[in-house]
Amino acid sequence: QVQLVESGGGLVQAGGSLRLSCAASVRTFSIYSMGWFRQAPGKEREFVAAVSRSGGITYYAISVKGRFTISRDNAKNTVYLQMNSLKPEDTAVYYCAASIMPMTEIPYQYNSWGQGTQVTVSS
């Protein structure tokens, strides 16, 4: 089991930027593909972005492509989500997750989840 702790959330105005971090407590971080998901009030959890084990391949939801960037530092056991040009509809609790499978956007294919960090974008 991977312990994941997100940080970096907060309140930002529309058009602003935030960088989320997710620190993993595991010795073999590089064997996991990593993903970011988000859940807004009254809505289902949705895929945001994923990164391969090496960090060389990334995949994004259409709603964030071109604005968000996922990356990872295997030496630091950390995955990041750089969010630019934020919109009010990006407001949600953001979760990072680890999967033993290759990069995926399917929630049930992730084995471990963080507790989430709140991102609020004001108009």
Side-chain angles (χ1 to χ4, degrees), residues 5-28:
V5 179
E6 302 97 335
S7 61
L11 173 64
V12 64
Q13 289 188 335
S17 298
L18 281 175
R19 188 194 196 202
L20 305 184
S21 299
C22 174
S25 297
V26 66
R27 294 181 63 183
T28 54

Side-chain angles (χ1 to χ4, degrees), residues 10-18 38 62-68 83-92 94 119-123:
L11 173 64
V12 64
Q13 289 188 335
S17 298
L18 281 175
R38 66 187 182 186
I62 293 175
S63 58
V64 307
K65 193 171 185 179
R67 300 188 297 123
F68 291 11
M83 305 185 295
N84 298 328
S85 301
L86 283 161
K87 305 175 181 180
E89 51 263 44
D90 294 318
T91 295
Y94 282 71
V119 171
T120 303
V121 184
S122 63
S123 58

Side-chain angles (χ1 to χ4, degrees), residues 35-46:
W36 285 96
F37 291 77
R38 66 187 182 186
Q39 188 167 18
K43 296 187 177 180
E44 293 187 355
R45 189 169 298 189
E46 66 172 352

Side-chain angles (χ1 to χ4, degrees), residues 37 47 99 103-110 113:
F37 291 77
F47 169 76
S99 175
M103 193 172 61
T104 176
E105 63 179 284
I106 303 173
Y108 70 76
Q109 293 183 336
Y110 284 83
W113 293 81

Side-chain angles (χ1 to χ4, degrees), residues 54-106:
S54 68
I57 303 172
T58 57
Y59 179 65
Y60 299 92
I62 293 175
S63 58
V64 307
K65 193 171 185 179
R67 300 188 297 123
F68 291 11
T69 302
I70 187 171
S71 62
R72 66 188 295 165
D73 185 337
N74 286 344
K76 296 182 178 180
N77 283 15
T78 302
V79 62
Y80 305 96
L81 186 68
Q82 177 67 44
M83 305 185 295
N84 298 328
S85 301
L86 283 161
K87 305 175 181 180
E89 51 263 44
D90 294 318
T91 295
V93 177
Y94 282 71
Y95 300 89
C96 72
S99 175
I100 199 66
M101 300 186 65
M103 193 172 61
T104 176
E105 63 179 284
I106 303 173

